[in-house]
Amino acid sequence: MPQKGIQTVLKNLAVLVQVMPDFLSKKGGIMQEFIAIDFETANPKRVSACALGYAKVYNCELVETNGYLIKPVGGHASFQSKIHGIKDEDTFDKPKFGELFPEIQDIFKYPLVAHSLFDKQVLNALSDHFSLGLSFEYIDSSSLAKEKLPNLKNCKLKTLVKHFGLPAFKHHDATEDAIACAKIFLKLREQGKEDSLQFFGDKAAEFKGIVMGILADDEVNYKEAYELLYWLEDHPEIAEQHQNTYLKTKEVLEDDYLDRVEAIEMKTLLESILKTL
């Protein structure tokens, strides 16, 4: 074969290798391969990832899981440590996300699934902070659960694990949360056609989904409030349309804490907003 022909073949093979994960994941309109992820954060800032867990699925089977501790940007806040148990002594000698990235970068080449939009926000913030230039496809399994199981009291991980009869897991352990998310997503795909799976593009619908998700269990917690605030900051056109919501959310989180009174105020506000969406 002429040298030019060999170069062409090699070039085509290189392209095929690059697109193969995407082809496998969408073959026939059904995701054959994806990776479920979960971040734990060390403080209220979305860039403060202190743990990452993932669960890789191929052909509807869990084939690989792993987790990493990360030295977080901005250090640890005590109230966050109480949630997941990760403290400074656990991460002071661990790599920053930018240092860890070369080891884990292949994770983000696959369609990603996580059980909220919060993990998407964390990943985008990390990409910006460490100048990684990440571009990825993302599905929020909690939004899919709300669509597929509208009569369920809420669509939290623990609720869905119980609903589907899946094994118990340690919540707020990044790897176990990712595994639970992967198994739940597989179960949700059995509920009907996958035509409804969306890699988010409709911002108004996405905003409505966030509000519905926050209100699903009749309470607002600080993580949900931050998820809402960060999303509005990332979508100024929606923040402008719902300026009162944006300003109120920003106000109640000024001290990086959401007390009971503020949580009730947020719940009342979001309930009124939802009626207009």
Side-chain angles (χ1 to χ4, degrees), residues 9-112:
V9 170
L10 290 175
K11 183 177 179 181
N12 289 337
L13 283 173
V15 171
L16 180 61
V17 168
Q18 288 178 342
V19 303
M20 183 61 72
D22 190 54
F23 171 78
L24 287 171
S25 69
K26 297 178 182 177
K27 186 179 179 182
I30 300 175
M31 289 179 65
Q32 300 291 328
E33 191 168 20
F34 66 89
I35 293 182
I37 63 169
D38 182 79
F39 281 106
E40 299 296 330
T41 51
N43 61 63
K45 305 303 180 186
R46 52 185 162 177
V47 75
S48 67
C50 61
L52 166 65
Y54 76 88
K56 184 177 180 180
V57 170
Y58 175 71
N59 198 25
C60 299
E61 296 289 338
L62 199 61
V63 296
E64 181 183 333
T65 67
N66 207 345
Y68 303 89
L69 289 174
I70 303 164
K71 186 174 184 178
V73 175
H76 291 267
S78 59
F79 67 90
Q80 290 279 94
S81 294
K82 288 179 181 178
I83 294 173
H84 46 57
I86 303 171
K87 302 177 182 178
D88 182 64
E89 53 262 39
D90 301 308
T91 63
F92 76 95
D93 60 346
K94 297 299 186 288
K96 297 178 181 178
F97 188 81
E99 297 167 340
L100 178 64
F101 183 72
E103 180 181 343
I104 63 174
Q105 59 183 322
D106 286 348
I107 293 173
F108 310 110
K109 295 178 181 178
Y110 295 90
L112 301 177

Side-chain angles (χ1 to χ4, degrees), residues 115 222 266:
H115 204 64
Y222 87 95
M266 285 297 301

Side-chain angles (χ1 to χ4, degrees), residues 139-267:
I139 290 176
D140 173 11
S141 56
S142 68
S143 292
L144 183 62
K146 295 179 186 75
E147 177 187 337
K148 300 290 187 181
L149 304 167
N151 296 322
L152 206 61
K153 64 176 182 178
N154 65 63
C155 290
K156 293 183 176 182
L157 275 178
K158 283 190 173 182
T159 304
L160 290 166
V161 162
K162 184 177 181 180
H163 174 77
F164 288 121
L166 297 170
F169 70 108
K170 183 181 178 183
H171 195 21
H172 296 302
D173 176 288
T175 304
E176 292 206 20
D177 280 357
I179 292 170
C181 176
K183 291 179 178 179
I184 286 168
F185 184 64
L186 288 172
K187 289 290 186 181
L188 288 170
R189 298 196 317 174
E190 298 171 3
Q191 301 299 303
K193 295 182 179 180
E194 292 193 46
D195 296 341
S196 60
L197 292 186
Q198 295 181 10
F199 296 99
F200 287 109
D202 185 340
K203 302 309 177 186
E206 190 173 337
F207 176 61
K208 182 178 181 179
I210 291 174
V211 174
M212 290 176 64
I214 292 173
L215 294 174
D217 57 358
D218 289 326
E219 63 179 15
V220 180
N221 62 47
Y222 87 95
K223 185 174 181 179
E224 291 169 333
Y226 270 108
E227 178 185 331
L228 175 62
L229 177 63
Y230 292 149
W231 190 91
L232 288 171
E233 287 178 344
D234 288 341
H235 301 86
E237 69 282 6
I238 303 295
E240 185 175 349
Q241 293 174 25
H242 300 278
Q243 192 172 46
N244 288 341
T245 303
Y246 171 65
L247 293 176
K248 182 61 178 179
T249 308
K250 190 173 182 180
E251 175 190 331
V252 300
L253 293 173
E254 279 181 343
D255 58 357
D256 291 336
Y257 183 75
L258 186 71
D259 63 33
R260 182 169 178 77
V261 173
E262 291 169 334
I264 293 173
E265 290 177 352
M266 285 297 301
K267 178 176 178 290

